[in-house]
Every structure is written in structure tokens, then in C-alpha cells.
Amino acid sequence: MTLPSQAAIVVIGGGIIGCSTAYHLARDHKADVVLLEQGKLTSGSTWHAAGLVGQLRSSASITRVLKYSVDLYKGLEAETGLATGWKMTGCLRLATNADRWTEYKRLATTARSFGMDMQLLSPAEVKAMWPLMETGDLVGASWLPTDGQASPSDITQSLAKGARMHGAKLYEDVRVTGFEMKDDRITAVKTNRGDIACDKVVNCAGQWARQVGAMAGINVPLQPVKHQYIITEKISGLATDAPTLRDPDRRTYFKEEVGGLVMGGYEPNPQAWTTGDVPNDWEFRLFEDDYDHFEQHMAQAIARVPALETVGVKQMINGPESFTPDGNFILGVAPECANMFVGAGFNAFGIASGGGAGWVLAQWVVDGEAPLDLWVVDIRRFSNLHRDRQWVCERTLEAYGKHYTIGFPHEEYASGRPRIVSPLYERLKQQRAVFGSKLGWERPNWFALEGVEPKDVNSMGRQNWFAAVGDEHRHVREHVGIFDQSSFAKYELSGPDAAKALDWICANDVGKPVGRVTYTQLLNTRGGIEADLTVSRLAEEKFYIVTGTGFRTHDASWISDHIGEGLDARLTDVTEDFGTLSLMGPRARDVLSAVTGSDVSNAGFPFGHVREIIIAGHTVRALRVTYVGELGWELHVPIAATGEVFDALMAAGGKHDIRPVGYRALESLRLEKGYRAWGSDITPNDTPLEAGLSWAVKLRKNTDFVGRRALENVGGGASLKKRFAGFTVDDPEIVLLGRETILRNGEPVGYLTSGGYGYTVGKNIGYGYVRNADGVSNDFLASGSYELVVAMQRTPAKLHLEPLYDPAMERVKA
């Protein structure tokens, strides 16, 4: 066998993800593709996967990816002549308690929001579909008829054949040993059989993806975990088309296979494999059977399917699967290497995801940007924290253990905490702060009132912090609050061409005079919103950029990637150099003027400006901005001085009733003001025109920027097919979380992107996009009668196109 000396794209890994990516690159893009597999195709973890194919996730884009897999598997055999083992058996998810049943009612609503018909069944209906099941403890089940199962090896071989049919070259027994690099790009892939010069590399190496990435200096935070299941002998009375079964309250799953059952589960005490490198020769290999560890699943499974007690076990499979610290898979271009893309870490969803993941990853590789909003799986959601293998292992095991637990709203991870703390951590803890975690940072979510234990109590209804957060919310509206937002990601862009670079990258006009702050979005070539942030001009050649905590890697990578070639502009991450204190509320100026000699009057320090001021002897970057709809400043303080400046503000603010406030109050405050949250309300799928943010786009200025052409082609006004709108619901028992279906005159027209409670307006608030193929004019919006579907129940809703709360106009609209 002789390898080609060069290829446009080299795909590493011959499991289902690698073969699917090669197939789509060849079929859809006629790309020059070479796939390298160190052993045989499927020999890593694909061959021992259980093969369940479910489609519904909480992200519309990821659900679309999984639905694509199903559509592909249905037709693949006809194209390639190789069977895939695809059976559309449907899937039953069982509920044995009220919280799980509420979760399913919400899931069924989400499914319908995404165009899928998930039904809710009674125990009697479940028994009729699966007669061998014990149903005495059931509240009911959800039923998704288009889910199914497949043979992982057969699908992969079929995709491999399809890839070859479309011109891809696949090679087995070729091990990648390293890369030739020039700056931050790979120029060639080194193997044990020679080198291949290439333009792009796609790392689909499964549980080896971490060490393959490391050869190019990139981090792929994976942890292999031992996952066990059994295959039984034939079971009398089991239908060959029996639905796949998920029994999450008993942490088990079942699927029919050759007249018997495949049964496995997700235990709360999982077993990690290695935190070191996975052996290269781990080909078609398994661990020793571990019936002692598996016993917990057997006991639960027999209680559900009593026939298991007497049937023989043909085989136990105990193999490693790649899991990630948040339970979502990993796609996209690595921030450390401009031309390595990754598709790995599928958390036992590899077969369900394989077809769709290969489709979007191939598009990403060719275009250089994601074709959909894939933020929840984007490799740039990680940070340097995720280079710590022990931390990744602990968090991943927690995520594995939560695989089948009830998904309570606002639930936080517990492992590996506290990891990164601001200088105020101990002070805020003494103020009874209840912390959450974002990209490793401890951040105060809320402050417990006296007599209330400072901890979250999970619930499907109003949670134990609801009243305390309302108290904080009102305090900011009426007095003044101080938020510790030190975890904000912060960068400086400097150099003679910094302004020119930002003019191209930013949708808004950031070329304003020194001392101005600009809110702007960063757009992709489709006009979709890839980020939103503030840019402060500190000097002619120096800009200060502030964005959300979780977007640190993503936004830095996006900005760096889009600085024009040859421009003299350098991006520096200064996140840990500055603490951030947000002083917000009608008394904010009174507090600030008491601690600084600078003029902070409206005339002296207008909205949208940045000044350096002195507080407690320290130079502070003060930005006059707000995310809560009140008078306010973001104070960026040298990190070591954060505590002193906080103490000075608290002391001066005593007579103005200052108090620290958490992120949950921030969320309810921004909902009332109609501020959009990136990742939910505004995403790469949404343009500023659709999101009602055209005021922040420099379309009137004769200057080009990323996404401009797409926006000009879309046009505005009534020609838009979807538009962002707010909704209020009077019923105080309703809990809005996002993904609830929007009905207009009884017909579905969209779903909520975010939801919560507005304590000033005294109502539930939701935001979402109203869609209509013939255009969404003001008349169309105003003439409809609206309802929301919440946990499968319809409730009347009122539509709003203006903020619900506007302190400048001193009015509340609801």
C-alpha cells in the first residue's frame, strides 16, 4: 500500500464519525479526501456501541443534526447496497414520578416546537406496546415514533463504501505519528507509512482524539469511561419490532436484538478508564466482564422486565466510550490550530449523531464556519481549565452519572469546585452567597435571606431562591446593587491597524473617538450573530473588549481568525488582569461620586463612554453601560485591588442601601428590559435584523464588514421570515424556561428562546422568534391572538415588541 503524498483534507479515524465526515466531504463537496485508520474501520469504540438512535435534544440545531442522521440511515442502504441495520422502532421513555412526568411534558413541548410529534402515553398504552414490561410503578411514558436503532458497524461500513463511491480514499493500518507545523497551521500529517501534505485535518480519532490533538498542541477534553451492557438469549414473546426503551428512573435502557435484549445503563458511580494516553493497539478489545459493578443495573432491569431473571446472557460488552465534561460532543475548528477540525467525544450518542455530525462538520471544514448554531458542541466552549486531566475526569464522571437523572432547571455541577474564584469570593460567601460555576469561575447566583439555607433546592416548579432573587431584583430597581462580574472575558486589541481590523469584524461602528464604548455583534457570512460584546476605545490604537464568561475562548478565536492578513493588530487576553464590579441602580451615581473625585454627572460621564477614574487610590476603567435597564457602571479594577475597591463602594453605599446581587436577579432584570442573551435569544442562526438589533449595525455607513452582504440580501421590515418578540403570561403558577411553543391563532409559529420571571412587572416573561413564510410584518404580529404551550398546556399570552420596563420613560408595560 502506498499513501498519496498529498491531499486537500486528511480525516483521522475510521469510526462512524470519521467515515461520515469523509462521506459528506466527498458526496457534498467533491473534496479531495484521505481517511486514515490506525487499525480497522470501526475497531475503536464504534464496533461495540449499543446502536440506539434518539433524536431529541434541548438545542434546535442539535435536534436537526440527529434528525438528519435518521433520514440518512433510512436511505443509505439503497445508495451503497450495504445494509445499515436501521429499524425505526420508535422509543419509549418511562416516567415513575411526578418530576419526571413534568420533564416529559416539557420535552414533548420542545419536540413539537422542533417539528417532532412526541406523544405522552398512559401505563396501559405502554403495556399494550411492550407486554413483557412491568408497568405498575409508571406514571406514563413519552413516545417518539421516529426514533430507532441501527447496527453501528454496518452503518459505518456503508458510509465508508459511500465515501469511496464519491471519490474518497480510505486507508487502514496507518497510524498518525505527528504533524509538520508552520506557525499555527498543519502542513503535513506524519504517519508510520509516510507523510501526507495537506490543507486541513479533521480529528475524528474517538478516544484517541485527545492525544492526536496534543500532537498539534490542541486540547480535546475527553475522558474514556467503561460502559457495560449485556446481550441476552432469545426471550419468548418479545416482538422483533419492539420499541427501544429508556427507563431513566431505573437508569437503564433496552433494545431488541435477534429476539433477545440489549440492556445497559448509566450508573451514578461510573468507572473511568485512564487519564493518560489510550493504548494505540486497543483494537476490537474489551475489558473483563464486571458483573459486580453491573449488578445494580441487573436488579433494576429485572424489576422492569421480569423475563430477564430466567433468560441466559449471550455476551457482556464492557468497553470504553469517550465522554466529555458537560455531556455534549465536540465539533469545530480548534482555537490553537487554524486548520485542525475536531469531531469527537460523543458520550455514547455517536451512532445517533454520526450521520448529522459528519454532515455539519464537512460543511464547517469547507466553509471555515459552522452552518448552524452549534455552540453547545463547539470545541471553543472550553478553556485552559480543561487541560487539567484530573479535573476533566472528575467532571466527566459527574456528567456520566447525570445521563439519566432528571434535568432540573438551573441545576449546577458539583465536582471540581471551587476552581477559579474572584478576590471577593470569601466576602460574598460571608454575605450568604449561593454560587454557580461558569467556565470554572465561581459566581454568586443569589444571596440567601436570613433563615434560608444558602443552597439550591432543585424543583420543577418555583425554586427555593425565587423570593430572594425577587428581593435582589427590586433592590436594583429602587436602590443600588453591586454585581461581581470579574469572570467576564476581557481582551485588548492594539496596534496601528486595530481600528481597521475591528471595522471589518464588528457589525456596529466602533471607529468612534477615544473614550467611547460601543455595543456590537460579530457576524458570520450568513449574517448570523457569532458574538455580542462591548468595544471601548482607550486610545487611537488600543481597544478594550469585554464579553461573557463562557465565550472567552470562542470570541478570542473568532476575533483572531478574522483579523485581516497583513494587518498590524494584536489581541491579548487580559481576563485575569481585571476584576469587574457592576454598580447598578438609581443610586449608583450617588455611591460612585462618593468614592471618586472624577465628574460622574450625566454631562461629565455620559452613557456609552469609558473613563479612567481613581477609587481607593487605584486606577479603574469605568464603562457607563447597563444590562439591567438602570443607571450603572462597569468598573474594571486591577485584580489585586478588587477587594479594596469593593470595600470602598460598600462603605460609601451604606447610606444608599447598597447590597451585593447575583446572576439570577441580573437575568430577570435583563428580561424586563428586553436585552438579548447570546446563545439563546441571539445565535449564529439569527441575524440582527430578525433580532430587532438593526440599530446596532452600520448598514448606512459605506464600509464593508463580515456578514454585510447577507444582511443586504435579506432586506428588512415585512420581508423578514421571522422576528424577535416578547411575551408575558399572567398565570403565576406557570414556569417559563425556553423551548415553549408559540401559538398564533392556534397555529405554531415558533418557540421561546428564553424565559423567566419579571418581578417589577409581576409576570412571566418569554422571548422568541415568530415565524411566517410569507413575512412577519407589524400588522401580522399585532393582528394575532397568542398562546404559549407550557408542559403541553396552552396558556394565554400577550405579545410585546417594546421593552416591558423602561426606567427612562418611567413606565412598566405588561
Side-chain angles (χ1 to χ4, degrees):
M1 175 187 65
T2 306
L3 290 181
S5 60
Q6 63 183 58
I9 302 165
V10 175
V11 177
I12 302 169
I16 190 166
I17 308 302
C19 289
S20 177
T21 303
Y23 167 83
H24 286 94
L25 282 165
R27 186 195 75 177
D28 297 347
H29 307 285
K30 309 295 181 271
D32 169 23
V33 186
V34 166
L35 181 147
L36 307 176
E37 162 54 46
Q38 66 174 351
K40 303 296 182 193
L41 297 184
T42 80
S43 66
S45 56
T46 297
W47 73 276
H48 63 72
L52 277 68
V53 180
Q55 301 164 86
L56 183 62
R57 300 293 279 267
S58 61
S59 155
S61 291
I62 303 306
T63 298
R64 189 173 158 197
V65 166
L66 299 179
K67 283 169 75 174
Y68 176 93
S69 293
V70 166
D71 291 339
L72 178 70
Y73 300 161
K74 282 181 196 168
L76 196 58
E77 183 175 350
E79 180 190 341
T80 66
L82 288 185
T84 60
W86 167 250
K87 287 201 299 187
M88 197 171 82
T89 54
C91 178
L92 285 166
R93 290 174 176 81
L94 309 182
T96 67
N97 58 67
D99 281 341
R100 181 74 70 182
W101 192 235
T102 299
E103 181 180 49
Y104 285 1
K105 286 189 282 190
R106 288 180 177 163
L107 274 175
T109 302
T110 298
R112 294 187 183 187
S113 289
F114 296 168
M116 302 165 76
D117 185 23
M118 178 180 272
Q119 298 152 30
L120 298 177
L121 307 182
S122 69
E125 290 171 310
V126 174
K127 184 75 172 175
M129 292 175 77
W130 234 93
L132 296 179
M133 190 198 313
E134 173 55 54
T135 57
D137 62 338
L138 293 189
V139 178
S142 71
W143 166 241
L144 197 53
T146 52
D147 279 357
Q149 60 189 70
S151 163
S153 294
D154 289 347
I155 282 188
T156 305
Q157 294 293 352
S158 192
L159 285 165
K161 183 176 180 186
R164 290 189 188 101
M165 285 165 60
H166 291 289
K169 301 181 184 73
L170 281 65
Y171 298 92
E172 296 180 312
D173 302 312
V174 179
R175 181 167 299 150
V176 172
T177 57
F179 301 101
E180 277 181 27
M181 308 278 296
K182 185 178 181 188
D183 300 323
D184 67 341
R185 298 185 72 84
I186 295 167
T187 56
V189 178
K190 298 179 178 180
T191 82
N192 59 343
R193 296 182 175 234
D195 298 352
I196 305 176
C198 62
D199 300 325
K200 296 176 182 179
V201 173
V202 193
N203 175 1
C204 300
Q207 56 202 357
W208 291 273
R210 184 165 69 178
Q211 55 226 60
V212 168
M215 295 176 194
I218 78 160
N219 181 41
V220 185
L222 300 177
Q223 176 59 50
V225 180
K226 297 179 181 181
H227 184 76
Q228 294 189 91
Y229 64 86
I230 58 167
I231 305 168
T232 75
E233 303 285 358
K234 286 191 175 180
I235 298 175
S236 176
L238 179 65
T240 55
D241 61 351
T244 58
L245 203 61
R246 287 180 170 88
D247 189 4
D249 295 324
R250 293 183 180 274
R251 298 194 290 268
T252 51
Y253 60 79
F254 306 81
K255 75 160 189 171
E256 186 277 338
E257 187 162 295
V258 207
L261 279 177
V262 166
M263 185 280 286
Y266 292 87
E267 62 275 18
N269 57 334
Q271 299 174 312
W273 187 19
T274 175
T275 55
D277 285 356
V278 173
N280 284 326
D281 61 354
W282 192 269
E283 185 183 348
F284 294 119
R285 281 171 64 183
L286 296 170
F287 303 112
E288 293 290 317
D289 296 350
D290 188 347
Y291 277 101
D292 287 345
H293 190 73
F294 195 71
E295 173 59 30
Q296 57 191 308
H297 294 315
M298 281 303 305
Q300 295 289 347
I302 289 167
R304 179 62 66 215
V305 184
L308 282 172
E309 192 157 22
T310 54
V311 74
V313 173
K314 266 203 300 200
Q315 189 182 7
M316 170 173 269
I317 303 287
N318 184 7
E321 294 264 12
S322 282
F323 286 81
T324 64
D326 61 3
N328 288 318
F329 51 86
I330 300 174
L331 289 184
V333 62
E336 307 94 333
C337 177
N339 62 341
M340 179 182 271
F341 294 78
V342 179
F346 279 83
N347 300 279
F349 277 107
I351 309 310
S353 313
W359 162 56
V360 292
L361 188 54
Q363 191 79 47
W364 204 333
V365 171
V366 169
D367 292 346
E369 64 180 41
L372 301 170
D373 168 25
L374 297 171
W375 167 241
V376 295
V377 297
D378 193 320
I379 190 169
R380 293 168 297 182
R381 71 189 187 272
F382 300 117
S383 68
N384 282 334
L385 160 70
H386 297 90
R387 291 183 177 275
D388 181 337
R389 291 189 172 193
Q390 193 54 46
W391 189 94
V392 166
C393 180
E394 287 174 27
R395 178 57 60 87
T396 301
L397 292 181
E398 184 184 7
Y400 180 104
K402 286 179 182 285
H403 196 87
Y404 274 165
T405 58
I406 293 167
F408 288 105
H410 313 290
E411 188 175 1
E412 295 276 354
Y413 282 100
S415 59
R417 295 179 55 189
R419 177 61 186 239
I420 308 169
V421 297
S422 96
L424 305 183
Y425 180 69
E426 290 301 331
R427 286 173 174 83
L428 298 177
K429 213 171 173 183
Q430 286 168 11
Q431 300 258 10
R432 303 174 58 75
V434 182
F435 291 91
S437 173
K438 195 71 169 277
L439 213 64
W441 284 83
E442 293 293 313
R443 314 191 313 172
N445 277 338
W446 60 286
F447 291 82
L449 304 170
E450 289 300 328
V452 177
E453 189 182 1
K455 65 177 279 194
D456 285 345
V457 178
N458 291 324
S459 164
M460 282 297 188
R462 293 275 177 237
Q463 299 192 329
N464 68 314
W465 43 262
F466 183 76
V469 169
D471 206 46
E472 293 173 37
H473 173 117
R474 281 183 290 273
H475 203 88
V476 175
R477 288 274 181 256
E478 295 166 9
H479 304 284
V480 59
I482 188 165
F483 300 83
D484 179 11
Q485 298 191 282
S486 300
S487 62
F488 271 162
K490 300 167 280 271
Y491 328 104
E492 290 176 354
L493 188 74
S494 54
D497 296 322
K500 188 175 180 184
L502 286 173
D503 208 28
W504 165 247
I505 293 167
C506 298
N508 206 348
D509 181 11
V510 298
K512 293 171 184 166
V514 172
R516 294 295 300 276
V517 182
T518 306
Y519 164 77
T520 184
Q521 295 112 37
L522 314 185
L523 307 183
N524 55 42
T525 57
R526 305 188 311 280
I529 302 169
E530 286 286 343
D532 77 326
L533 38 78
T534 59
V535 178
S536 302
R537 191 164 201 171
L538 303 181
E540 284 299 318
E541 297 184 1
K542 185 177 183 182
F543 295 82
Y544 184 53
I545 301 169
V546 182
T547 189
T549 306
F551 315 135
R552 179 178 182 176
T553 307
H554 173 275
D555 291 6
S557 177
W558 184 270
I559 293 165
S560 297
D561 288 350
H562 289 82
I563 294 172
E565 219 170 301
L567 293 187
D568 186 356
R570 294 170 306 285
L571 188 74
T572 309
D573 189 318
V574 294
T575 298
E576 276 83 15
D577 294 356
F578 295 92
T580 305
L581 303 175
S582 290
L583 188 69
M584 302 280 159
R587 316 302 318 169
R589 181 174 285 117
D590 299 328
V591 177
L592 194 56
S593 61
V595 295
T596 182
S598 301
D599 180 0
V600 295
S601 68
N602 196 48
F605 199 153
F607 184 78
H609 283 66
V610 57
R611 301 266 192 276
E612 285 198 340
I613 63 176
I614 305 297
I615 302 176
H618 300 284
T619 302
V620 172
R621 288 178 184 172
L623 282 61
R624 173 97 187 269
V625 293
T626 179
Y627 192 57
V628 303
E630 299 290 347
L631 173 69
W633 281 265
E634 261 177 34
L635 305 172
H636 294 257
V637 184
I639 194 89
T642 309
E644 277 182 72
V645 171
F646 175 81
D647 292 343
L649 290 165
M650 289 297 286
K655 62 182 177 185
H656 302 292
D657 210 9
I658 194 171
R659 62 179 282 192
V661 179
Y663 271 83
R664 290 196 178 137
L666 187 76
E667 173 69 6
S668 76
L669 289 158
R670 75 97 188 163
L671 284 170
E672 288 186 338
K673 192 64 178 73
Y675 291 129
R676 284 67 160 154
W678 192 84
S680 52
D681 302 322
I682 49 176
T683 75
N685 290 347
D686 312 306
T687 71
L689 309 185
E690 295 163 338
L693 295 171
S694 54
W695 58 267
V697 182
K698 57 190 176 205
L699 281 172
R700 290 181 184 166
K701 191 180 175 194
N702 187 24
T703 179
D704 201 9
F705 58 89
V706 183
R708 178 174 187 130
R709 197 161 299 125
L711 296 187
E712 288 174 334
N713 290 340
V714 167
S719 63
L720 294 173
K721 304 287 189 275
K722 68 175 190 184
R723 279 178 62 189
F724 191 74
F727 297 87
T728 52
V729 172
D730 290 342
D731 184 347
E733 297 304 308
I734 295 285
V735 176
L736 297 181
L737 300 168
R739 310 293 174 267
E740 295 85 358
T741 311
I742 303 166
L743 302 179
R744 178 185 177 275
N745 299 342
E747 295 296 316
V749 290
Y751 55 89
L752 297 189
T753 51
S754 63
Y757 192 79
Y759 295 90
T760 306
V761 301
K763 294 174 192 283
N764 294 289
I765 302 172
Y767 289 101
Y769 290 87
V770 176
R771 292 165 164 81
N772 182 37
D774 296 325
V776 186
S777 64
N778 283 345
D779 283 349
F780 176 85
L781 289 170
S783 62
S785 172
Y786 292 92
E787 297 169 285
L788 299 177
V789 183
V790 184
M792 298 300 282
Q793 295 294 313
R794 289 160 72 142
T795 185
K798 186 177 175 186
L799 176 132
H800 304 266
L801 295 178
E802 299 290 330
L804 293 160
Y805 173 81
D806 191 341
M809 306 297 288
E810 293 185 338
R811 65 177 186 241
V812 169
K813 293 170 286 187

